[in-house]
């Protein structure tokens, strides 16, 4: 009976610990969004040494590097992380960003297209695609991506502004 009780306590402890780690990682994702790098570093320190969370630590390290402008270093860290499960979206978003900023917009586009296909409601993927299409000169594709951003995030004034600029450009070109 004592052995069963000890096993139950141990299982409860591991469940509690797993929830704590997940909360820590979720908080780190929010810290990345707000660019609170000391909080991300704290999460890295808290997760380090837990083999199950090594991919999470690598992703967080890559996020810090990218946040500091070291996209090549971030790509190196990401090379050891499989974008799957709960890491699929954040790792893929960061991978696409790093590819773009290291001069590989074609591969970045592939990453963001894959992301938007798997999750059509992921507004960040559409934002990135709009920028890539605009840079490439594919204004109709950029417009479609921006319209998707407006649909998903109606409070994003940037998308409205960019759409307005595209429409204005179209009007100016049609007058010529």
């Amino acid at each position: 009976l004592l052995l069963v009780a000890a096993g139950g306590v141990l299982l409860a402890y591991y469940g509690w610990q797993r929830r704590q780690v997940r909360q820590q990682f979720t908080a780190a994702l929010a810290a990345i969004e707000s660019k609170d790098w000391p909080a991300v570093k704290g999460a890295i320190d808290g997760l380090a040494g837990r083999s199950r969370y090594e991919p999470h630590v690598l992703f967080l390290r890559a996020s810090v590097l990218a946040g500091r402008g070291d996209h090549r270093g971030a790509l190196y860290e990401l090379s050891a992380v499989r974008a799957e499960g709960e890491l699929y979206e954040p790792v893929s978003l960061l991978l696409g960003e790093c590819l773009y900023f290291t001069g590989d917009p074609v591969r970045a586009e592939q990453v963001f297209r894959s992301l938007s296909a798997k999750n059509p409601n992921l507004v960040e993927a559409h934002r990135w695609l709009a920028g890539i299409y605009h840079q490439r000169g594919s204004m109709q594709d950029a417009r479609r991506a921006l319209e998707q951003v407006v649909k998903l995030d109606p409070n994003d004034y940037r998308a409205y502004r960019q759409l307005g600029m595209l429409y204005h450009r179209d009007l100016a070109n049609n007058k010529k």
Side-chain angles (χ1 to χ4, degrees):
L1 185 63
L2 185 59
L3 192 58
V4 171
V9 168
L10 191 60
L11 283 175
Y13 171 75
Y14 283 126
W16 173 82
Q17 189 177 36
R18 193 194 257 118
R19 283 189 302 279
Q20 292 295 106
V21 169
R22 289 180 88 62
Q23 288 173 351
Q24 195 171 21
F25 182 69
T26 301
L29 291 175
I32 290 168
E33 284 293 312
S34 62
K35 299 185 183 339
D36 182 358
W37 305 122
V40 177
K41 176 74 169 89
I44 290 169
D45 293 343
L47 294 172
R50 299 173 190 260
S51 61
R52 180 169 184 224
Y53 291 95
E54 187 60 25
H56 297 69
V57 170
L58 292 171
F59 163 73
L60 294 174
R61 284 185 190 150
S63 297
V64 170
L65 289 169
R68 293 181 178 159
D70 183 3
H71 293 95
R72 288 197 192 289
L75 280 173
Y76 179 78
E77 292 287 335
L78 289 174
S79 68
V81 180
R82 292 179 58 160
E84 60 187 19
E86 71 179 337
L87 288 177
Y88 175 73
E89 285 181 6
V91 167
S92 296
L93 282 169
L94 185 59
L95 175 63
E97 174 187 334
C98 291
L99 288 168
Y100 179 83
F101 284 120
T102 56
D104 196 348
V106 172
R107 284 187 41 212
E109 177 187 354
Q110 292 169 348
V111 169
F112 293 125
R113 285 173 62 105
S114 175
L115 263 170
S116 66
K118 284 194 176 190
N119 183 355
N121 296 322
L122 187 60
V123 70
E124 283 302 316
H126 296 287
R127 280 191 187 110
W128 275 103
L129 285 169
I132 291 169
Y133 295 148
H134 186 268
Q135 182 187 25
R136 187 173 67 206
S138 301
M139 298 309 162
Q140 285 188 336
D141 290 332
R143 188 177 305 112
R144 276 193 291 273
L146 286 169
E147 287 169 351
Q148 191 65 21
V149 171
V150 166
K151 179 181 169 189
L152 295 171
D153 187 1
N155 295 320
D156 184 354
Y157 70 90
R158 298 168 299 177
Y160 289 106
R161 181 177 182 277
Q162 291 167 336
L163 271 173
M165 290 168 50
L166 287 176
Y167 289 133
H168 177 74
R169 179 182 169 166
D170 287 350
L171 286 173
N173 286 340
N174 286 337
K175 287 183 180 180
K176 291 180 181 178

